[in-house]
Amino acid sequence: MPRTPSRTPSRTKARPDASEPAFDLNADAGESYGPWRMGEDEALFPHLTSVNVACGFHAGDPLTMVRTVRLAAEHGVAVGAHPGLPDLLGFGRRDLAIDPSELHAAVVVQIGALSAVLRAEGTGDLHHVKPHGALHHRMVRDEDAADAVARAIAGAAPDARLVTLAGPAGDGMRSAAARHDVRTVDEAFPDRGYLTDGRLAPRGTDGALWTDPEAVAARAVRMVRDGTVETVDGGVAEVRPDTLCLHGDHPGAAAIAQAVRAAAQAHGLRLAAYA
């Protein structure tokens, strides 16, 4: 007997709809170092459209970078650099004292290292640059740091996009990029808590980390469709992202990514790496 066409509203569509927003789903990856293992990249990559690969300063090493680039190529995932402060002991999450000239040089070296791996593997040019941890937070509040990173991208990978914090809190990052003719893409974090001003809630505070796959997936859909996120104090912050980041070092990151993909499909949202 012929089936009656579904009258289900768009929010419960079972297949992507070209009229709905598209978004990129990224994660930090390649963050193992020597015999020390971090994350579950093999399980995570099938659910992503782009990855941010550690470049040896906060995590990662040459062999890990090569293996991560190969894994990304296997899954058709776009590759970006994930530069951080020189802080292997603190995983790049400590706010180290570093002047703009030293920061510029550090980011140039990290971008250059991953770009060389991509060329050697024949997998194309660097897709984007996504600052890690304390470097990202520094760029949000420090114009000189944001300028140093944007200048490094302009010189070392001018066709790569700088990934900036979505919403008004990322205005300084976008202004620095514009000064150096660097294109940007706005990012939000469904697995992280937000403050009312649109910045990320500091790790260690209540509501700063989200690990339940269904809850993270619901936040991801809201971010893409409504452009907002509930803050840790019950308010609402504007985000309007082009890309969503899942932290690959979180426990159960692959399950979270799978839930986000399933929620996107259920709501008719399309996943695709940005050009």
Side-chain angles (χ1 to χ4, degrees):
M1 211 179 149
R3 296 180 62 186
T4 302
S6 172
R7 300 289 183 183
T8 308
S10 61
R11 67 178 178 274
T12 57
K13 284 181 180 174
R15 65 178 61 185
D17 183 342
S19 67
E20 291 286 357
F23 69 97
D24 171 70
L25 185 61
N26 78 76
D28 307 335
E31 292 184 316
S32 297
Y33 183 76
W36 180 72
R37 313 319 296 167
M38 169 64 81
E40 44 188 4
D41 292 353
E42 291 80 3
L44 184 60
F45 278 33
H47 307 296
L48 304 177
T49 51
S50 71
V51 291
N52 323 303
V53 181
C55 304
F57 275 47
H58 77 275
D61 56 49
L63 185 55
T64 299
M65 291 167 69
V66 170
R67 288 172 173 166
T68 306
V69 165
R70 289 175 179 172
L71 185 64
E74 178 183 337
H75 292 286
V77 175
V79 174
H82 195 36
L85 297 178
D87 181 26
L88 284 172
L89 278 177
F91 196 60
R93 288 180 175 156
R94 297 183 295 185
D95 190 18
L96 305 183
I98 184 170
D99 65 41
S101 60
E102 185 180 1
L103 177 57
H104 170 264
V107 174
V108 166
V109 167
Q110 292 176 79
I111 291 173
L114 186 60
S115 295
V117 172
L118 288 167
R119 285 195 300 272
E121 292 297 312
T123 54
D125 296 326
L126 194 69
H127 182 252
H128 62 273
V129 177
K130 155 74 181 293
H132 168 78
L135 175 55
H136 174 274
H137 296 306
R138 176 83 64 86
M139 292 173 67
V140 169
R141 69 176 190 273
D142 184 339
E143 181 179 345
D144 290 338
D147 192 83
V149 174
R151 184 161 52 91
I153 297 169
D159 293 328
R161 296 242 195 166
L162 170 62
V163 179
T164 58
L165 183 63
D171 285 349
M173 299 175 78
R174 287 183 286 275
S175 295
R179 285 194 295 273
H180 296 282
D181 295 321
V182 172
R183 296 181 302 156
T184 60
V185 60
D186 289 341
E187 176 183 56
F189 300 81
D191 61 4
R192 292 281 275 109
Y194 275 77
L195 303 175
T196 303
D197 64 4
R199 292 180 298 128
L200 297 181
R203 288 174 179 270
T205 62
D206 288 342
L209 298 178
W210 290 66
T211 57
D212 178 77
E214 298 307 318
V216 174
R219 284 162 58 85
V221 169
R222 175 176 175 173
M223 287 174 166
V224 174
R225 298 201 68 183
D226 301 337
T228 61
V229 62
E230 186 175 351
T231 62
V232 294
D233 60 358
V236 175
E238 179 183 331
V239 286
R240 304 196 182 283
D242 302 302
T243 182
L244 297 181
C245 177
L246 302 175
H247 287 81
D249 61 302
H250 283 187
I256 292 173
Q258 185 175 19
V260 171
R261 259 203 179 269
Q265 183 179 26
H267 287 78
L269 302 175
R270 295 177 293 120
L271 273 71
Y274 48 88

